[in-house]
Structure formats: C-alpha cells, structure tokens
Amino acid sequence: GDSVTQMEGPVTLSEEACLTINCTYTATGYPSLFWYVQYPGEGLQLLLKATKADDKGSNKGFEATYRKETTSFHLEKGSVQVSDSAVYFCALSVTTQGGSEKLVFGKGTKLTVNP
Amino acid sequence: DGGITQSPKYLFRKEGQNVTLSCEQNLNHDAMYWYRQDPGQGLRLIYYSQIVNDFQKGDIAEGYSVSREKKESFPLTVTSAQKNPTAFYLCASSRWTGRTEAFFGQGTRLTVV
C-alpha cells in the first residue's frame, strides 16, 4: 500500500549547519508530496509541497524536490537556526477507491538546533 | 481569521467513560480528518469525512466514533472500547478537489486516569 519512510531521528545540529532529512515513498499513481512541521504542543503546519515530478517546493529557506525516479522528497536547508527546532513530517496525498483524498504520514523526525 | 479549532486542549477521562473531542472549522472545507499521534509512531488516521452525513474508517477506527451533521463540525468520540486512548489527537480539514494541503488544529491531549 501507500507509505512514507523518513529518516529516523533525533537530529541535533549546530546553528548554521546544513540539514537534510531523507524521505522516500511508495504509492500507486502520482501522489502529491508534502513536508509539515510541528512545534512543541501544537498542530502541524504545512512547510512546503510539490504536486508533480521535478517540482521543487520551497519555504523559509527549506527546499525539497519531487524525484519520481528515486521516489524521494528529501528536505534540505543550507543554514539552520535555533527557531527551526521542531518535528518534521513527510507526507503524501493519495486518492482512495471512493475518490476521496487522504494524507499518509511518515513517523516524523525531531530536529534540535543548538546555538 | 479562518482556521480549525479543537477543544479542549487538555482532557482527562476515567477508565470506562466515553469522551467527545470537538473540532470546528470555518474554512469552508469539505473534507475533515481525525488523526492520533503517539511518540515514535507519527500520525495515524482514525476517521475521515468528505461530505456532510458521510464518513469512512481510517487505519485505526476501532474504539472511536464520529458524526458529520454539519460541514463545519466533525466531533470524535473516544469510547470505552478503545483500549489505549491516552494520546494526542489532531483534527484537520482540506478542500474536496485537488491535492491540496490539510490545515490542522492545535490538538487535544487526552489522558486516561
């Protein structure tokens, strides 16, 4: 079935370090792909998305490219800040047999950035 | 401002009691979802609804029930049949058509005491 596998955490970095969180997926058809971020005690917020192969989503210095050939959507940032400390979820949108859409999430990767 | 409101933020329940979590949205979204979040397990789908008066089971529906009498509201009842109800519950909504993103509420942390 449809699934998302993302890099296990936790990840600890120093401020201004480079970040990569790996995400690969299994899906039938052509899903849309998303990265969500969750700050402590809160719900999820959309960070970026890509709806077709080779699309690049970007927001707040984060980027991810939809790679159909490797079924991947890795999250990258060139220089992280303390305020980026959060849990990051990779997700894909699939269409059910009934025609509805639902999101399938990875397990999340906790990022801690130290000053 | 448009958004999703979950209430309460914290909820305590005695074993054997049913409890209902509220979720309201004013985004005019057709689709609404309930997820359960446990440490190290990500988000798991409990129920979802695409239109009023219709809903489908997700991956872990046992011990839960929902209703969708109004477009804006999608309450979740955690019944006494749910064996391990202590968790963080998240409600979300999205537009019906297209592969659009979901908008999430702030969550309800349920603790069974």
Side-chain angles (χ1 to χ4, degrees), chain A residues 30-32 34 36 38 41-44 46 49 51 89 93 95-96 98-108, chain B residues 9 31 33 35 37 40-43 45 48 50 56 58-59 88 90 94 96 98-107:
Chain A
Y30 303 96
S32 291
F34 306 86
Y36 283 84
Q38 184 180 34
E42 297 186 5
L44 277 67
L46 178 69
K49 69 175 181 179
T51 57
F89 292 91
S93 176
T95 302
T96 68
S100 57
E101 298 273 339
K102 66 174 186 177
L103 284 171
V104 176
F105 286 87
K107 292 188 176 183
Chain B
K9 191 170 176 66
Y33 312 83
Y35 290 90
Q37 185 177 19
Q41 296 207 48
L43 276 70
L45 183 63
Y48 61 105
Q50 293 289 345
Q56 288 78 42
D59 301 317
F88 190 53
L90 286 162
S94 67
W96 162 257
R99 287 150 177 199
T100 58
E101 65 269 26
F103 291 79
F104 282 80
Q106 295 293 295

